[in-house]
């Protein structure tokens, strides 16, 4: 990212919880992002996201140099969907609508309606007795593609289909994660440059 934005100071606000779904019907033991879901301690993942953003934006001297810093949101990076692909066809088919609502909620929380969104396309290691870890994976992949086709300021990283996996059937190996990070940075940069060119 620093190579792409050499003149900018870059801050990442990270909130993640593995295994989560967007659909509350697929929350399982991991929780979900449905803003109406009343999960552990009365919170859901969207609530936790809002708390994380509020804490980050309340920091006024990030680099501790004594000068006030202003955080300017530049994009949303989203790698999720496996949880919604693990249950029923109904849950997977609802993914597009749920993703659209959630990204709009996140954009609203960051006060930028057209904030760039880059999606990491889910993939499947095939390391399961059935040969498919995510039984509804194709439906979620379709929903992810539909989202980026219908959202004017969204993009998708598809190189995930070529990644190797680590010691389990769910997580990419180190090379995959490095490439994913680089591709995310490239796509956010492309979306920002394209939006600046618009009249």
């Amino acid at each position: 990212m620093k190579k792409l934005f050499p003149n900018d100071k870059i801050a990442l606000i990270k909130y993640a919880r593995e295994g989560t779904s967007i659909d509350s019907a697929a929350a399982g033991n991991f929780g979900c992002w449905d803003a109406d879901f009343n999960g552990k301690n009365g919170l859901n993942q969207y609530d936790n996201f809002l708390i994380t953003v509020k804490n980050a934006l309340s920091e006024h001297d990030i680099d501790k140099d004594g000068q006030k810093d202003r955080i300017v949101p530049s994009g949303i990076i989203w790698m999720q969907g496996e949880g919604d692909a693990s249950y029923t066809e109904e849950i997977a088919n609802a993914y597009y609508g749920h993703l659209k609502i959630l990204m709009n909620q996140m954009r609203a929380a960051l006060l930028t309606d057209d904030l760039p969104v880059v999606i990491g396309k889910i993939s499947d290691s095939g390391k399961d007795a059935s040969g498919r870890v995510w039984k509804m994976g194709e439906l979620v992949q379709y929903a992810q593609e539909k989202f980026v086709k219908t959202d004017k300021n969204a993009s998708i990283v598809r190189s995930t289909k070529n990644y190797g996996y680590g010691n389990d059937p769910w997580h990419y190996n180190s090379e995959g994660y490095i490439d994913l990070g680089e591709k995310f940075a490239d796509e956010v940069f492309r979306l920002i440059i394209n939006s600046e060119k618009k009249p």
Side-chain angles (χ1 to χ4, degrees):
M1 292 181 77
K2 193 62 182 171
K3 289 178 183 176
L4 294 169
F5 301 95
N7 300 319
D8 296 329
K9 292 182 178 179
I10 298 168
L12 299 177
I13 303 172
K14 179 183 176 183
Y15 178 73
R17 170 77 162 93
E18 70 173 353
T20 56
S21 63
I22 301 179
D23 197 314
S24 60
N29 295 322
F30 298 99
C32 74
W33 288 82
D34 182 348
D36 293 324
F37 180 71
N38 189 16
K40 186 177 180 182
N41 302 321
L43 299 175
N44 54 63
Q45 299 310 312
Y46 183 67
D47 292 333
N48 290 322
F49 161 79
L50 290 177
I51 292 167
T52 302
V53 169
K54 181 180 179 181
N55 288 340
L57 296 180
S58 68
E59 178 60 61
H60 298 296
D61 187 6
I62 298 170
D63 53 8
K64 308 297 181 196
D65 65 354
Q67 296 183 17
K68 185 174 181 179
D69 296 311
R70 183 172 67 96
I71 296 176
V72 179
S74 299
I76 297 169
I77 305 297
W78 186 253
M79 184 69 228
Q80 183 276 340
E82 295 88 350
D84 298 85
S86 299
Y87 290 86
T88 66
E89 185 174 339
E90 181 183 14
I91 289 170
N93 280 331
Y95 189 79
Y96 167 75
H98 290 154
L99 181 63
K100 183 177 180 181
I101 289 168
L102 181 59
M103 291 302 108
N104 285 336
Q105 288 173 322
M106 287 184 168
R107 284 167 162 164
L110 294 166
L111 305 177
T112 311
D113 283 345
D114 59 350
L115 193 65
V117 172
V118 182
I119 304 289
K121 189 171 182 177
I122 67 167
S123 61
D124 199 305
S125 68
K127 294 182 177 183
D128 186 78
S130 68
R132 290 171 57 185
V133 176
W134 320 117
K135 61 183 180 177
M136 298 296 163
E138 291 88 349
L139 294 175
V140 170
Q141 289 173 328
Y142 172 81
Q144 291 177 320
E145 292 284 357
K146 181 178 178 181
F147 176 79
V148 300
K149 282 184 174 73
T150 57
D151 188 293
K152 63 182 177 162
N153 215 16
S155 182
I156 191 165
V157 174
R158 298 183 180 93
S159 57
T160 50
K161 67 181 178 183
N162 302 317
Y163 294 169
Y165 285 75
N167 297 325
D168 63 54
W170 310 292
H171 299 98
Y172 303 129
N173 60 22
S174 296
E175 292 80 8
Y177 282 120
I178 291 169
D179 182 77
L180 182 61
E182 290 173 349
K183 295 291 193 308
F184 275 147
D186 289 342
E187 288 303 307
V188 168
F189 178 77
R190 187 181 64 78
L191 289 172
I192 290 172
I193 295 302
N194 287 346
S195 68
E196 289 175 351
K197 290 179 181 176
K198 293 174 184 174

